[in-house]
Amino acid sequence: MENYKINKKERDILASIEEKYYMLPPLSLIKKEILKNKHNKKLAWQKVLDNLHDFIRNSQNEVEKLLQKRRQQKKIKDIRQARVSIVGNMFSKLIIYIFIQNKICKSIRNDIFITSKLSEIKNFDKIGTIRVGEESQKPDIDLIIYTEKSNRDIEKCIIISLKTSLRERAGQTYKWKLLMEIATTENPIRKKYNIEYNPESIPLICFVTVNFYNEVDKPQHRGMFKFFDNSFIGKKIDSDFISPLSHLIKYVNEKL
């Protein structure tokens, strides 16, 4: 099978992720997993998404050594602060990296793109802003998966909120989803608060977690997942209310 040739921007994204010192340990683990399944790299690059929790956890010792070394070199001052920042960044960058690798393997259509940078998406404000009277509300966005029109305007998109645990701001995203549904249906609440939202294409809102603290099966959290268009988990779990993260690949191909 011939691989898809990614564009320069995507090649630059892969290179920039590989250059981040804290990405070396998890990427090394992932590449070893791919080599173990080299007879079917296409499937292997999909399945590593289901084990992001383990790749992040199992790389912690090596990342810690790198942090200690950087503090000795006076490149960082506060290891604790750096550690907190790294976990969130690692989660996001691993998904982007694996997503592009799945494009290379032709598991994802070549007209579907991913980014964590809103500034890269032309006219995203039309999709990502709801007016409430004189104020505006915007979603909690960590990643956007999207397609473009011929003029490079955004065509369709999936807004993704990434959370390493549900103790974080998971509620922000589904509250915006509820506001979006109020804004796009005839109802007295929309009129009462003068809510306006008229995008050409309504985005899908999804949630992704690695569930570090085993929270997803708690009743107060399970109900939250009903508000999203879909929810995914990068950890092996036997549940019918949240999908394995590898299912995101099929989802984006079908919905965009």
Side-chain angles (χ1 to χ4, degrees):
M1 181 190 71
E2 185 181 349
N3 288 337
Y4 165 65
K5 294 181 180 179
I6 57 176
N7 61 35
K8 182 180 183 302
K9 182 188 285 185
E10 289 168 321
R11 291 195 301 272
D12 289 345
I13 290 170
L14 289 181
S16 69
I17 291 174
E18 290 179 336
E19 287 171 359
K20 296 282 188 294
Y21 74 92
Y22 57 84
M23 294 302 297
L24 298 177
L27 287 179
S28 175
L29 293 175
I30 288 170
K31 289 175 181 179
K32 286 178 183 177
E33 187 66 23
I34 299 299
L35 281 174
K36 280 168 36 179
N37 297 281
K38 60 183 178 182
H39 59 286
N40 194 343
K41 286 178 66 176
K42 184 173 183 177
L43 181 61
W45 275 114
Q46 293 179 38
K47 288 302 181 183
V48 290
L49 285 167
D50 296 337
N51 295 296
L52 280 192
H53 171 277
D54 292 347
F55 292 126
I56 294 172
R57 283 292 195 201
N58 293 339
S59 65
Q60 282 184 327
N61 287 341
E62 289 303 313
V63 171
E64 194 67 25
K65 291 176 185 176
L66 293 172
L67 286 172
Q68 295 289 350
K69 183 177 180 180
R70 289 178 73 82
R71 185 170 66 175
Q72 290 170 6
Q73 295 170 338
K74 298 186 177 179
K75 291 182 178 179
I76 59 172
K77 293 181 179 179
D78 188 337
I79 284 185
R80 182 180 175 280
Q81 184 177 355
R83 191 184 295 126
V84 171
S85 175
I86 282 171
V87 173
N89 285 332
M90 185 184 291
F91 187 24
S92 173
K93 292 183 188 306
L94 283 176
I95 290 180
I96 293 171
Y97 189 91
I98 297 168
F99 186 95
I100 295 174
Q101 292 292 349
N102 274 285
K103 283 188 72 172
I104 292 172
C105 293
K106 293 189 174 180
S107 292
I108 295 170
R109 297 200 324 264
N110 64 6
D111 64 320
I112 298 176
F113 304 96
I114 187 168
T115 186
S116 59
K117 299 176 181 177
L118 293 183
S119 59
E120 292 182 350
I121 303 179
K122 188 179 175 186
N123 291 327
F124 177 76
D125 267 355
K126 293 180 180 178
I127 287 177
T129 305
I130 298 174
R131 301 293 304 179
V132 183
E134 299 297 317
E135 307 298 328
S136 62
Q137 296 288 321
K138 297 188 178 184
D140 177 41
I141 301 172
D142 293 298
L143 293 176
I144 302 172
I145 301 173
Y146 64 102
T147 57
E148 296 178 334
K149 299 178 181 178
S150 57
N151 65 356
R152 296 204 61 208
D153 275 1
I154 189 167
E155 183 178 30
K156 295 180 181 179
C157 77
I158 299 171
I159 292 172
I160 295 180
S161 177
L162 302 178
K163 295 293 169 281
T164 53
S165 83
L166 303 187
R167 299 176 189 181
E168 300 177 47
R169 307 177 316 277
Q172 289 185 12
T173 307
Y174 86 77
K175 288 174 185 175
W176 194 86
K177 174 70 160 55
L178 286 174
L179 180 61
M180 185 183 75
E181 294 193 5
I182 291 169
T184 53
T185 57
E186 283 295 331
N187 61 81
I189 297 175
R190 189 182 76 172
K191 294 175 182 177
K192 178 179 179 179
Y193 294 104
N194 193 21
I195 299 171
E196 294 183 21
Y197 182 59
N198 299 296
E200 291 183 17
S201 175
I202 296 175
L204 294 168
I205 312 296
C206 293
F207 182 80
V208 176
T209 185
V210 282
N211 191 33
F212 277 151
Y213 302 101
N214 298 315
E215 301 160 294
V216 297
D217 211 22
K218 293 181 179 178
Q220 68 267 34
H221 292 136
R222 288 187 61 163
M224 178 185 68
F225 293 111
K226 295 179 180 179
F227 294 103
F228 298 107
D229 291 302
N230 213 328
S231 300
F232 304 91
I233 186 166
K235 181 181 183 180
K236 290 183 179 178
I237 185 173
D238 184 19
S239 290
D240 57 1
F241 63 92
I242 191 167
S243 302
L245 186 49
S246 60
H247 289 196
L248 177 65
I249 294 169
K250 181 181 179 182
Y251 188 77
V252 300
N253 284 322
E254 289 178 347
K255 298 296 184 181
L256 296 180

